[in-house]
Amino acid sequence: MQLIYLLLCVAGTALPLSQFVPWLSVQGLDLPLLLQQATSTHIAAFAWSDVLISGVAVGVFVVAEGRRLAMRRWWLPLFCLMVGPSLALPLFLLMRERHLVAARPNHSSKPTPPLGSASFRR
């Protein structure tokens, strides 16, 4: 899973920035224009409102889960929300996966079976 999360971090950075950087180089940091274009059509407003709500949900999840697991640097994905949830969420999941693997008693990369899933032989 770690490789998948890492690939999603790369895609979650490259794809949004591949659209924003050219716009930024032409328009500069014109926030009123950015907001006007982000809400200029119903589909644009739909997409941006989805990103906004997803970002808030990711932020709440990162804080709650990072603290619950006593993860180191759990706050780092919060800064990555500046790129977007498409980077912040896979980065946090990668960090969480690494934290959980390191916390296992034998540090093996094999997943532990869920509770109550022991198989009984007759």
Side-chain angles (χ1 to χ4, degrees):
M1 286 301 293
Q2 290 186 36
L3 178 60
I4 292 170
Y5 292 145
L6 184 60
L7 293 173
L8 288 170
C9 284
V10 171
T13 302
L15 293 175
L17 290 180
S18 72
Q19 300 304 308
F20 183 62
V21 170
W23 183 90
L24 190 61
S25 67
V26 170
Q27 307 298 336
L29 192 56
D30 187 346
L31 293 179
L33 180 62
L34 177 66
L35 290 173
Q36 184 271 324
Q37 289 185 357
T39 58
S40 62
T41 66
H42 288 294
I43 198 67
F46 159 77
W48 277 105
S49 61
D50 184 61
V51 169
L52 179 64
I53 297 301
S54 297
V56 171
V58 167
V60 169
F61 176 66
V62 165
V63 170
E65 187 73 353
R67 287 182 175 173
R68 183 182 75 83
L69 295 175
M71 291 174 55
R72 294 179 56 207
R73 296 184 296 273
W74 58 263
W75 46 265
L76 183 62
L78 296 178
F79 288 108
C80 294
L81 282 170
M82 288 189 286
V83 172
S86 60
L87 168 59
L89 181 58
L91 176 61
F92 180 75
L93 293 174
L94 173 64
M95 292 171 60
R96 181 178 178 268
E97 185 76 18
R98 288 182 175 176
H99 175 81
L100 293 174
V101 167
R104 289 192 187 124
N106 61 2
H107 296 281
S108 90
S109 61
K110 294 181 183 178
T112 55
L115 293 175
S117 66
S119 60
F120 296 99
R121 295 183 189 193
R122 292 182 185 214

